[in-house]
Amino acid sequence: MVDRYQRFAATGFGGFVTKRLGLPRPPHLYRHSPENPRSPGPVLLATTEDATVTGALHAILAEGGTPVHTCTSPDPTPDEPQEPGSLILDATGITETTQLCTLHRLLGPRVRSLRAGGRVLVVGTPATDCRTLGAAVAQRSLEGFTRALAKELRMGATVNLIYVPAQAPTTAASTVRFLVSDRSAYVSGQTLHLSETTQSTNTEPPTPPIAEVAPLADTVAVVTGAARGIGATIAETAARDGAQVLCIDVPHAGAHLADTATRVGGQALELDITEDDAPQRIVAAARHHFGRLDVMVHNAGITRDKTLARMSAQQWDAVLSVNLLAAQRITERLVDPTDPVLGPGGRVVCTSSISGIAGNAGQTNYSTSKAGLIGLVTALAPTAAERGATVNAIAPGFIETPMTEAMPLLVREAGRRMNSLRQGGTPQDVAEAVCYLADPGTGGVNGQVLRVCGQSLIGA
Amino acid sequence: MVDRYQRFAATGFGGFVTKRLGLPRPPHLYRHSPENPRSPGPVLLATTEDATVTGALHAILAEGGTPVHTCTSPDPTPDEPQEPGSLILDATGITETTQLCTLHRLLGPRVRSLRAGGRVLVVGTPATDCRTLGAAVAQRSLEGFTRALAKELRMGATVNLIYVPAQAPTTAASTVRFLVSDRSAYVSGQTLHLSETTQSTNTEPPTPPIAEVAPLADTVAVVTGAARGIGATIAETAARDGAQVLCIDVPHAGAHLADTATRVGGQALELDITEDDAPQRIVAAARHHFGRLDVMVHNAGITRDKTLARMSAQQWDAVLSVNLLAAQRITERLVDPTDPVLGPGGRVVCTSSISGIAGNAGQTNYSTSKAGLIGLVTALAPTAAERGATVNAIAPGFIETPMTEAMPLLVREAGRRMNSLRQGGTPQDVAEAVCYLADPGTGGVNGQVLRVCGQSLIGA
């Protein structure tokens, strides 16, 4: 869990040596700390005349008390914040390929002024809202721009892209706040396609001011694999954000599971999620303890690595059963029309993986299961939307856990450095992303896969 | 252009050293040679009872004279080919997550029998044809499986995945042949989504036997950036496959352009494609020399690398103009409804890049332009389909050219080794993929991006 190289590189001597040798120099990441939150810093909102969501973005940001300065000129003006915390570009006004120069003209002179651990957020128009070929081409170009810029910036800065429908820009509120906050420190180079919120407006909770956030208050969250590691951190973070948590893990992890449940003031359920009656037992337990179930986090997962030729049937079947089939069966139960569990605002978050996106040698079983979870959220999203619910996945990259600690040195070092932030993520990074997707305010994000990987080089 | 490391590793001493040190050991790739083609080797076609396209796959392969052996049992039988050239899995019968074990049971015992430079092809059902959630999940899982297996196999074997509509499996003929042939030596870990062919059946050319292929006979192909490098190789390969070629490049490359045109028995057009009248001049030249234009290959591209903060307006604008805007304007001309140039069987192939998919530091302009080309093929595909035409992109990874030869040693070595085949591709690899997409028989592939990258690690 300790990245000794990063510690060394952060010392005066280490900084000197790594710079001289051209070695990776992992920046300090400013992660969200509820006890000691960093001031959000002023927002510089760059926009063009024809942009469609600038007003909404301004309102979303200003509501949290953040000073927002709007700029439209290529030349920075003296009244602009000198060291903005975030640089947001409303690119929805770009409807021709020729207008892409706006990206260069507005951001080029300003990216260097971004403070350490700053945020760049590009906001575009969804393909379905593009009325001309030029608009569709230009808007799709933003992905290449975002990913390239995310690989350039230093000092722990991140760059992300969201496509926001002009009809419903406020649907982006929780997403904008997450992506400009320190909670998304390990999320970079990513694209999210927002849709109109799946939640009917009459049940939409009032948007709370950013400083008083307990976004999961009054929700009941279930987390599988919660005894230890990332699952335990997800349970803790959900509780921090106000959720009542049902923690699930296999019986032989019972002692650790009880610890987690106690720590989060929640309930524990010892259960093998691959059992036939697991979906029923989860619903029954949630209803028994809390009267409902709002958020389902499919975090439990196992690995049984072997090349396909050497893999036993048991190794294949165990990974598929735990990682994919159990999550699928539980989710099907939650949206069963004869006795639906998830209501409006319901949230399912699956833990996929970079291996599910890019594949990994020795992990045909694991990669198959994690790709299947992407299929699950894609295929189920329309059904979820009909219920006012969402189903999404996260795809962690290299996360510092006891499992990665046990890797051979060179494999571990390669995994840690092969991303734009030159370091591994933490379980907290994953948990923050899960809780953002679990937020009742995140109804505009559905059927999406969010990588939490520091923009890992690895992909498909 | 010479990979000295690969040459060294291929020697007896080099093989010993690289093995002992655990260094990458690039396999020999069996590339297609028209003068000296390798026998295709027997095909092992693994399938299940409910599979829907086995008969069509069998017919496609058998038509080329390749012996095809169908197997349905996990245990290899004595009459199976001992060293198949290709292993094809018809996975369209997998309609439940529980049936994914078929992948392990049928392929696990057989992948090691594949000959050097063999091919694995997984065939699935398109998401739109999946009637249950289980089917959609299971079919999406195939992507993870394919990419993982592609990272496992050695000896230059490749693994790819195609989704084939059950209603029109013969639409896959040219794709199946390309992916099992030596022409796709550097294409691995890729997924193609086939649709029903965009070409009306009454104009569909008869499928030629695989051995007598001149797939571009009677077509007129235009290649930009054809004076040298990859563009020249595309022109040569199109001519090899029977096309009449109009070669385009900027005036100052005129001498090399004339050489290419002479070599391919085609015509040369000196033209700056960013000029306002370039689309008109291209169409006029093709009609003047050949009476028509069937295939447009947007190969011309430039780089002007700088970080965004240091990039000049000229550097940004030049790259966007050549790489994206010119391709967009020419393509718009080709499908202009008032005077359409592309008829049924028309083909547009854009050269995108891994940088357009994943972004690259110092290349915000290039990555933006190459992502825009992906937007172009995505957005224009429906329009093309209405005309019986297609528009697709290729995305080359690390290709051995004079440009990569000039890279600093370590950057070049990293680029060469960071893919599943542990070596760079050749201009010929790119040209083969372009000509496959340009084939009038490839009407079922539209709006797709095909990476030619040896399954580069880099992605999004």
Side-chain angles (χ1 to χ4, degrees), chain B residues 50-347:
Chain B
D50 301 324
T52 57
V53 298
T54 305
L57 291 171
H58 198 290
I60 289 167
L61 293 158
E63 200 173 2
T66 314
V68 183
H69 183 99
T70 305
C71 64
T72 56
S73 156
D75 301 312
T77 55
D79 60 330
E80 283 185 24
Q82 293 307 297
E83 206 178 37
S86 307
L87 199 47
I88 301 186
L89 176 67
D90 182 351
T92 57
I94 299 178
T95 55
E96 292 289 346
T97 305
T98 47
Q99 295 169 341
L100 284 167
C101 60
T102 303
L103 302 174
H104 170 258
R105 305 300 193 271
L106 288 182
L107 293 185
R110 292 181 170 97
V111 282
R112 277 199 284 198
S113 67
L114 203 64
R115 72 172 176 183
R119 301 279 176 262
V120 178
L121 180 61
V122 180
V123 182
T125 302
T128 45
D129 289 357
C130 291
R131 260 168 277 149
T132 63
L133 180 67
V137 170
Q139 289 295 322
R140 181 60 178 77
S141 299
L142 300 178
E143 272 203 48
F145 176 80
T146 299
R147 295 188 203 279
L149 186 61
K151 289 187 176 180
E152 274 183 17
L153 296 190
R154 296 283 170 261
M155 313 261 285
T158 66
V159 190
N160 292 289
L161 166 64
I162 57 175
Y163 289 105
V164 177
Q167 301 78 9
T170 51
T171 204
S174 71
T175 301
V176 170
R177 286 178 189 159
F178 174 68
L179 291 175
V180 304
S181 78
D182 286 347
R183 290 183 293 145
S184 62
Y186 203 61
V187 176
S188 192
Q190 301 310 304
T191 301
L192 283 172
H193 299 263
L194 275 65
S195 48
E196 296 188 39
T197 180
T198 63
Q199 196 166 356
S200 55
T201 42
N202 56 350
T203 60
E204 196 164 358
T207 317
I210 197 165
E212 305 168 21
V213 147
L216 301 185
D218 302 322
T219 69
V220 174
V222 177
V223 182
T224 64
R228 272 173 294 195
I230 293 173
T233 308
I234 292 171
E236 290 162 13
T237 308
R240 176 201 78 187
D241 285 354
Q244 295 178 284
V245 186
L246 175 63
C247 304
I248 298 179
D249 216 312
V250 287
H252 71 70
H256 286 287
L257 180 67
D259 287 351
T260 304
T262 306
R263 213 158 52 241
V264 306
Q267 297 289 334
L269 173 62
E270 293 182 14
L271 176 71
D272 177 348
I273 55 170
T274 66
E275 299 276 339
D276 278 352
D277 63 349
Q280 280 65 32
R281 290 185 55 196
I282 291 172
V283 172
R287 285 179 169 165
H288 170 71
H289 291 300
F290 307 115
R292 56 196 291 181
L293 193 168
D294 304 296
V295 176
M296 182 73 222
V297 183
H298 295 296
N299 166 74
I302 61 171
T303 57
R304 297 286 183 272
D305 296 357
K306 279 281 177 196
T307 62
L308 185 68
R310 294 172 184 276
M311 188 179 291
S312 72
Q314 288 71 23
Q315 290 170 325
W316 175 277
D317 295 347
V319 168
L320 269 289
S321 292
V322 174
N323 296 8
L324 178 56
L325 187 58
Q328 181 188 330
R329 290 182 61 238
I330 293 165
T331 308
E332 284 181 305
R333 172 65 193 89
L334 298 183
V335 298
D336 180 353
T338 63
D339 174 20
V341 178
L342 287 186
R347 301 282 178 259

Side-chain angles (χ1 to χ4, degrees), chain A residues 160-408:
Chain A
N160 292 288
L161 167 64
I162 58 176
Y163 288 105
V164 177
Q167 302 77 10
T170 52
T171 203
S174 72
T175 300
V176 170
R177 285 177 189 161
F178 174 68
L179 291 176
V180 304
S181 79
D182 287 346
R183 291 182 294 142
S184 61
Y186 203 62
V187 176
S188 193
Q190 301 310 304
T191 303
L192 283 172
H193 299 264
L194 275 65
S195 47
E196 295 188 40
T197 180
T198 63
Q199 196 165 356
S200 55
T201 42
N202 57 350
T203 60
E204 196 165 357
T207 318
I210 198 164
E212 306 169 21
V213 146
L216 301 184
D218 303 323
T219 70
V220 174
V222 177
V223 182
T224 62
R228 272 174 295 195
I230 294 173
T233 307
I234 293 171
E236 289 161 15
T237 308
R240 177 202 78 188
D241 284 354
Q244 296 178 285
V245 187
L246 175 62
C247 305
I248 298 180
D249 216 311
V250 286
H252 70 72
H256 287 288
L257 180 67
D259 287 351
T260 305
T262 305
R263 211 157 56 239
V264 306
Q267 297 289 334
L269 173 63
E270 294 182 12
L271 175 70
D272 177 347
I273 55 171
T274 65
E275 298 276 338
D276 279 351
D277 63 349
Q280 281 67 33
R281 288 185 57 196
I282 290 172
V283 172
R287 285 178 169 165
H288 170 72
H289 291 300
F290 307 115
R292 56 196 291 182
L293 193 166
D294 304 295
V295 176
M296 181 75 223
V297 183
H298 296 295
N299 166 74
I302 61 171
T303 57
R304 298 286 183 274
D305 297 357
K306 280 279 178 199
T307 62
L308 184 69
R310 294 172 185 276
M311 189 180 289
S312 72
Q314 289 71 24
Q315 290 169 324
W316 176 277
D317 295 347
V319 168
L320 269 290
S321 294
V322 173
N323 297 8
L324 179 56
L325 187 58
Q328 182 188 331
R329 290 183 60 238
I330 294 166
T331 308
E332 284 181 304
R333 172 67 193 87
L334 298 183
V335 298
D336 180 355
T338 63
D339 174 20
V341 178
L342 288 185
R347 301 282 178 260
V348 176
V349 184
C350 299
T351 305
S352 182
S353 163
I354 300 297
S355 295
I357 294 169
N360 197 13
Q363 295 198 315
T364 47
N365 49 1
Y366 187 78
S367 303
T368 303
S369 71
K370 295 299 188 180
L373 291 174
I374 297 174
L376 181 65
V377 308
T378 311
L380 205 61
T383 310
E386 285 170 21
R387 308 197 48 75
T390 67
V391 48
N392 292 289
I394 51 157
F398 186 96
I399 305 296
E400 302 280 353
T401 64
M403 190 180 78
T404 54
E405 181 74 1
M407 283 178 171

Side-chain angles (χ1 to χ4, degrees), chain A residues 128-153:
Chain A
T128 46
D129 289 357
C130 291
R131 261 169 277 150
T132 63
L133 179 67
V137 170
Q139 289 294 323
R140 180 60 178 78
S141 299
L142 300 178
E143 271 203 50
F145 176 80
T146 299
R147 296 189 203 277
L149 186 60
K151 290 186 176 180
E152 273 182 19
L153 296 190

